[in-house]
Amino acid sequence: MSGASGGQRWLRILAPLGLGLLLLGGWEAWLRLAGIPPYVVPGPVAIAGALVEDWATLSASLLVTLKITLLALLIAASLGLLLAVLFAQSRLLELSLFPYAVILQVTPVVAIAPLIIIWVDDVTLSLLICAWIVAFFPILSNTTVGLNSTDHNLLDLFRLYGASRWQVLWRLRLPTAMPYFLAGLRISGGLSLIGAIVAEFVLGTGGRASGLAYRILEAGYQLRIPRMFAALVLISGAGIAIFLALSLLSQLLLRRWHESAMERGERR
Amino acid sequence: MQGGDETGSLLVLRGVGKRYATGTLAVQGIDLAVAQGDFLALLGPSGCGKSTLLRLIARLAAPSEGRIDWPHGRPGPRDIGFVFQEPTLMPWATALANVALPLRLAGMPRREAAARAAESLARVELRGFEQAYPRTLSGGMRMRVSIARALVTRPRLLLMDEPFAALDEITRHRLNNDLLALWEAARFTVIFVTHSVFESVYLARRIAVMAPRPGRIHAELGVTAPAPRGEAFRTSAEYAAQCRAVSATLGEAMAVSPA
């Protein structure tokens, strides 16, 4: 915890921020100098303007998309964890079910989304299913690996003291799997947002209860390019926020014992 | 065949052998009686089945031949303590929680288990480190936590599988002395696996020299030493002479089956 590492931390924030500002400034300057109109390429100022002007519509759509994303992530996390635990208890179950989880993962969600929309009447539910399909697999696969990475000597120790299956799971396998689960969750956070957006594109649902993807489509039809970019900025922002929140969660849960959550100086 | 007076024995191995599923014969024809309160070293090169023998005694594996008798009753889960070569601690749990684990697994309430664990940590001179996580402890301290965990159930039998092999020599000597002090005080039975002649002579009252491929007991030797043993013993002529004798026996064992 020296001054050098504190300076390093500031550098980590300031360096990308400075570069970003520089690029945005260059972008704006280039547009103005070359005289490119905002309906071809909008500059940062025009985008910011659209963001402020259309905030009411855009923020409502952001909430819709976020709701789908987070709900899908929650379901993916709980189902993924539950299924991984079941896999760890029964090899037969794992062998018979895992291939289907893989099929679910490798099939592009864009390709199955229309089918899901045909089969499921409810719009929100079909969006949820699409986002869930994309978010589910990293959690299942990571947690399964984690549950199987238990230290063999520790397993022997638990056996020696007559631990029950439940005690082995609760006190040994689940804590071992925790870092793996959290890593999967971080991947799935971003994927779940992508799944929700892709499904919205395919669905193309209009009306007031539509998400950011629909706003992009809509703005595209109306040639309101700055608004398209504003929606895009919100999507990226949401993705970054989800990633940061999940990283923070992981940091808080693991900081006392896991290598991944430690400062270099603390490692031994 | 040894064994002699078996009434004082905690456990007796009779013709014990272990063949793994792969067909490898790890140990064969082991006859061994371990007296209550004894400190027995299993000495031999790597691959002579010392660890397998320890696992059979701990009932982590079942012998494929022969049997293990417990004249004074079979041990329950809390009668055996096991110390592995690695400290084998749960990284997500504090030293206290690690030591309390055997008690918690047996269903002891949290408070009582924590009190007993703190007591056990104090016995290995780790008072004040109750809330420390394993990663913040040195190798020697982690091994102490591991020993405290093995002793927390007040076992009749302590099984140690090359526990100090990965430590530096200075730490190893300290832990040797501390282990002897713990043993003098509580007189549990110890079976200590090692590949170090010096360590076996320093610690044990009896040494079973093992020969490899398949693992078997080549000879049993007694160690005579003043009690309590200390650093003076380590530099005595008596110690040197016995190390020489044990080394010679180990040499014979190796010569019988070339490594």
Side-chain angles (χ1 to χ4, degrees), chain A residues 83-217:
Chain A
L83 205 57
V85 167
L86 287 178
F87 283 1
Q89 300 303 303
S90 155
R91 186 94 182 110
L92 182 67
L93 201 67
E94 179 179 354
L95 288 176
S96 31
L97 271 181
F98 204 79
Y100 294 101
V102 174
I103 290 172
L104 209 60
Q105 159 73 7
V106 296
T107 313
V109 71
V110 191
I112 22 178
L115 283 176
I116 291 168
I117 287 150
I118 292 171
W119 291 334
V120 182
D121 278 338
D122 188 63
V123 175
T124 312
L125 190 61
S126 29
L127 288 175
L128 256 184
I129 291 173
C130 289
W132 172 79
I133 285 176
V134 188
F136 171 68
F137 189 77
I139 292 176
L140 172 69
S141 138
N142 268 32
T143 313
T144 302
V145 172
L147 288 170
N148 291 330
S149 317
T150 315
D151 181 333
H152 284 270
N153 282 338
L154 273 174
L155 267 178
D156 276 345
L157 192 83
F158 272 67
R159 270 179 63 202
L160 189 75
Y161 288 116
S164 68
R165 223 178 158 78
W166 169 249
Q167 284 175 321
V168 171
L169 177 68
W170 184 248
R171 289 178 175 273
L172 183 57
R173 286 195 194 274
L174 279 177
T176 306
M178 183 73 117
Y180 297 82
F181 168 74
L182 289 168
L185 196 65
R186 278 205 292 190
I187 300 170
S188 291
L191 285 180
S192 151
L193 181 65
I194 293 173
I197 298 284
V198 166
E200 281 176 10
F201 265 118
V202 176
L203 246 81
T205 44
R208 274 190 301 154
S210 53
L212 283 173
Y214 181 73
R215 293 294 161 225
I216 291 181
L217 285 177

Side-chain angles (χ1 to χ4, degrees), chain A residues 151 153-154 156-163 167 171-172 175-176 255-259 262 266-268, chain B residues 55 58-60 77 80-82 84 88-92 101-102 104-105 133 135-138 149-150 153:
Chain A
D151 181 333
N153 282 338
L154 273 174
D156 276 345
L157 192 83
F158 272 67
R159 270 179 63 202
L160 189 75
Y161 288 116
Q167 284 175 321
R171 289 178 175 273
L172 183 57
T176 306
R255 73 196 148 126
R256 282 185 298 187
W257 67 275
H258 200 258
E259 290 290 333
M262 273 177 236
E266 293 178 298
R267 290 187 188 161
R268 306 187 59 113
Chain B
R55 289 175 62 81
R59 289 186 294 169
L60 289 169
I80 298 181
F82 203 112
F84 299 87
T88 312
L89 302 174
M90 301 179 291
W92 55 83
L101 177 77
R104 297 286 291 145
L105 287 178
Y133 283 82
R135 69 174 176 89
T136 64
L137 300 173
S138 68
R149 178 181 59 196
T153 58

Side-chain angles (χ1 to χ4, degrees), chain B residues 5-224:
Chain B
D5 175 25
E6 288 183 4
T7 50
S9 296
L10 178 67
L11 71 155
V12 185
L13 284 75
R14 299 179 207 272
V16 166
K18 176 68 181 175
R19 186 185 289 279
Y20 284 113
T22 52
T24 319
L25 193 58
V27 289
Q28 190 180 35
I30 304 281
D31 291 301
L32 183 69
V34 183
Q36 298 211 50
D38 202 357
F39 198 130
L40 171 74
L42 295 176
L43 174 70
S46 49
C48 74
K50 311 181 295 272
S51 298
T52 301
L53 204 51
L54 217 54
R55 289 175 62 81
L56 292 175
I57 294 169
R59 289 186 294 169
L60 289 169
S64 39
E65 298 160 23
R67 59 178 214 268
I68 302 175
D69 290 332
W70 302 83
H72 297 273
R74 287 169 69 82
R78 289 161 75 168
D79 290 330
I80 298 181
F82 203 112
V83 178
F84 299 87
Q85 180 170 351
E86 300 294 321
T88 312
L89 302 174
M90 301 179 291
W92 55 83
T94 60
L96 190 75
N98 266 294
V99 174
L101 177 77
L103 303 174
R104 297 286 291 145
L105 287 178
M108 186 183 280
R110 189 188 301 269
R111 251 166 208 281
E112 197 185 340
R116 288 269 301 270
E119 208 175 284
S120 195
L121 274 172
R123 280 213 286 167
V124 297
E125 289 160 51
L126 280 182
R127 202 188 297 275
F129 289 94
E130 289 82 1
Q131 298 309 320
Y133 283 82
R135 69 174 176 89
T136 64
L137 300 173
S138 68
M141 288 161 101
R142 285 181 212 175
M143 192 43 84
R144 285 172 191 274
V145 175
S146 189
I147 293 171
R149 178 181 59 196
L151 294 180
V152 77
T153 58
R154 305 207 178 96
R156 285 192 285 157
L157 176 61
L158 181 62
L159 303 173
M160 305 182 93
D161 190 1
E162 302 190 25
F164 308 142
L167 300 175
D168 64 87
E169 192 167 344
I170 297 165
T171 310
R172 188 160 64 237
H173 283 183
R174 273 196 65 189
L175 283 169
N176 280 168
N177 289 335
D178 294 346
L179 176 63
L180 280 176
L182 287 168
W183 177 71
E184 296 281 352
R187 285 293 168 160
F188 40 81
T189 309
V190 183
I191 303 179
F192 188 100
V193 164
T194 179
H195 55 234
S196 159
V197 170
F198 305 106
E199 193 171 50
S200 65
V201 173
Y202 188 65
L203 291 173
R205 300 215 308 185
R206 222 149 51 85
I207 300 172
V209 178
M210 294 186 69
R213 271 173 281 274
R216 61 206 181 279
I217 291 175
H218 175 75
E220 274 188 59
L221 306 165
V223 180
T224 51

